[in-house]
Amino acid sequence: MKLTVHRGTHEIGGSCVELCSNSERARIVIDVGMPLVTSNGSPFEWRHYKDLSQEQLLEHKILPSVDGLYSHQKPSVSAVVLSHAHQDHYGFFRFIHPDIPLYMSLGTESLVEISNLFLGTGVNLDQAQVFTMWQPFQVEEFTITPYLMDHSAPDAAAFLIEADGQRLFYTGDFRGHGRKQVLLERLLENPISNVDCLIMEGSMIGREKGQYHDEVAVERAIHNIIAEQQSYTFVFCSSQNLDRLVSIYRAVKRAGKMLVIDLYTAFVLDKLGSISSNIPQFDWGEIRVLYAYSHARKLAEYDKKLLYKYKQAKIGWEEIQATPQDMVILSKDNFYFRRIILPKLGAGGGARAIYSMWHGYLERADLPQFLSFHNIDLIEIHTSGHAYVEDLKKLACTLNPRCLVPIHTFYPEQYGSLYKNIVQLDDGQIYYL
């Protein structure tokens, strides 16, 4: 096999990996993500580039240079395989040629569809094919076996890829301290044998673990905050981080409070209910749905019946205002929160906010200052969606590949402390297994 990491050898985000068979008749691409940072290390802002043509995006090296992948080119890629539904792994799927098949898990397809509707991600799903975890599927000369992994994105997959008598394992993003940590434990107990190449993420290399080491600690900390609250609690969290939503829900239930979610979140939970019966739903006793016009309009365009379906759990402003001490409100730092929710609730009297997302997002925003102006305390409670260094080392040593290629990391040079036989590539460099 011929391996090219088009992006990700020296950065977190923007992942894009190409594999080509020895015959060169089969080419697959794993992930086509949007960068998180620019070449000078500043935050990547898509709005600065969205009006450029595909040719210009390639010229400016915004799009990874993969011949035959994009809609303005003659298609020559056999398939694109998506590990999970985070923008830094599929943010540029909108540019993929419509004739190229896309392979993804059921949960990932659902999240892509949701993001198309609410966020305008523009992914063409006409050629989407859903794979089943641990069941091999064939793309010309490649045999691909997806492995369900513990990550902050639901239904995330790693891939064992076999061709030309060789075996490559691509971890995608993973961790061993979430609500599905048993998945990594099982992989360590029953490892894949004869791995020629391991492509392994290293997001947590060079980072501290933080105060909360796992989802159990996050749940406990959130519970301790909301249990003593005598006014509103606002929890800032991604609606697509199911593990975190489960942690929040469990904390709310144990505290005897009410979790107020928006229509977007209700739709996410409803769509993903098919992958697990443990995902909280809008009609569970401790959950109510707050309607917003923008969300209602988008849902009506998709399926007007959903507005009536979720109406059974609808909550109004007067009911929220009547018992502020019982209300835990899932929030986003947006116009709706700043200009509608806070003015409606007049939340200055003892309200608190919990920020349960990556700290880097908070550094880019003025949310702490905004909340402070409104006399709302802000507490950060979060744990990473990525594997700690000791888990990276365990996986590498257990799989014992003939070589390990770093990806999704700012510190590829530090992989030598994890494993032997490190092959450190540059973006676009061709490597023959």
Side-chain angles (χ1 to χ4, degrees), residues 144-204:
I144 304 171
T145 306
Y147 284 71
L148 181 63
M149 300 296 274
D150 178 19
H151 184 45
S152 52
D155 231 17
F159 301 106
L160 173 64
I161 302 172
E162 300 172 275
D164 305 318
Q166 296 170 319
R167 312 182 97 195
L168 177 147
F169 191 73
Y170 173 84
T171 67
D173 292 356
F174 76 103
R175 62 179 174 178
H177 57 274
R179 294 200 168 275
K180 302 178 293 298
Q181 63 186 43
V182 67
L183 295 169
L184 180 59
E185 293 169 0
R186 289 173 181 169
L187 186 56
L188 295 173
E189 290 169 0
N190 301 284
I192 301 163
S193 60
N194 300 318
V195 175
D196 294 286
C197 179
L198 171 63
I199 305 179
M200 187 174 72
E201 73 121 314
S203 304
M204 287 300 290

Side-chain angles (χ1 to χ4, degrees), residues 340-413:
I340 297 178
I341 291 181
L342 275 192
K344 284 277 190 182
L345 299 182
R352 303 179 86 180
I354 296 171
Y355 193 85
S356 197
M357 301 173 69
W358 177 49
H359 179 74
Y361 296 135
L362 196 60
E363 290 179 334
R364 304 175 188 178
D366 67 343
L367 181 63
Q369 295 81 5
F370 175 80
L371 293 174
S372 177
F373 178 81
H374 289 275
N375 299 312
I376 298 174
D377 291 335
L378 177 64
I379 306 103
E380 288 189 66
I381 303 175
H382 179 62
T383 193
S384 178
H386 299 271
Y388 297 139
V389 171
E390 58 263 33
D391 287 330
L392 295 174
K393 187 171 184 177
K394 284 179 186 176
L395 182 61
C397 293
T398 301
L399 294 183
N400 193 27
R402 290 177 177 81
C403 71
L404 191 160
V405 175
I407 194 173
H408 209 274
T409 180
F410 288 116
Y411 303 102
E413 70 280 356

Side-chain angles (χ1 to χ4, degrees), residues 102-256:
L102 309 176
Y103 289 86
M104 60 192 73
S105 69
L106 177 61
T108 297
E109 182 188 45
S110 296
L111 286 177
V112 172
E113 185 179 355
I114 291 166
S115 295
N116 278 348
L117 176 63
F118 281 92
L119 306 178
T121 43
V123 179
N124 186 333
L125 290 171
D126 290 345
Q127 293 289 332
Q129 300 188 42
V130 173
F131 56 67
T132 302
M133 298 296 179
W134 302 290
Q135 293 190 13
F137 62 93
Q138 203 75 25
V139 176
E140 297 184 358
E141 296 173 61
F142 289 100
T143 301
I144 304 171
T145 306
Y147 284 71
L148 181 63
M149 300 296 274
D150 178 19
H151 184 45
S152 52
D155 231 17
F159 301 106
L160 173 64
I161 302 172
E162 300 172 275
D164 305 318
Q166 296 170 319
R167 312 182 97 195
L168 177 147
F169 191 73
Y170 173 84
T171 67
D173 292 356
F174 76 103
R175 62 179 174 178
H177 57 274
R179 294 200 168 275
K180 302 178 293 298
Q181 63 186 43
V182 67
L183 295 169
L184 180 59
E185 293 169 0
R186 289 173 181 169
L187 186 56
L188 295 173
E189 290 169 0
N190 301 284
I192 301 163
S193 60
N194 300 318
V195 175
D196 294 286
C197 179
L198 171 63
I199 305 179
M200 187 174 72
E201 73 121 314
S203 304
M204 287 300 290
I205 295 176
R207 293 181 178 180
E208 298 293 329
K209 283 185 178 180
Q211 184 177 356
Y212 306 100
H213 288 186
D214 56 28
E215 284 294 333
V216 173
V218 167
E219 177 189 328
R220 186 183 304 116
I222 292 175
H223 169 266
N224 290 343
I225 294 293
I226 65 177
E228 64 181 22
Q229 263 298 88
Q230 296 303 309
S231 185
Y232 305 106
T233 307
F234 302 104
V235 183
F236 291 85
C237 169
S238 168
S239 296
Q240 296 192 9
N241 185 343
L242 288 194
D243 273 14
R244 190 60 42 81
L245 291 180
V246 169
S247 296
I248 295 167
Y249 169 76
R250 286 168 58 93
V252 167
K253 182 177 181 179
R254 188 151 62 94

Side-chain angles (χ1 to χ4, degrees), residues 13-50:
S15 295
C16 183
V17 174
E18 178 184 347
L19 291 172
C20 181
S21 66
N22 289 343
S23 70
E24 299 191 352
R25 289 193 299 268
R27 293 170 63 214
I28 61 171
V29 173
I30 310 170
D31 296 341
V32 188
M34 189 177 289
L36 293 175
V37 296
T38 63
S39 57
N40 64 13
S42 61
F44 179 84
E45 299 285 352
W46 171 239
R47 57 190 172 87
H48 295 157
Y49 308 97
K50 64 183 181 64

Side-chain angles (χ1 to χ4, degrees), residues 302-316:
Y302 177 80
D303 184 353
K304 191 175 293 186
K305 293 178 182 177
L306 290 174
L307 294 177
Y308 300 100
K309 178 180 182 180
Y310 302 146
K311 190 174 182 180
Q312 60 182 287
K314 185 177 181 179
I315 191 170

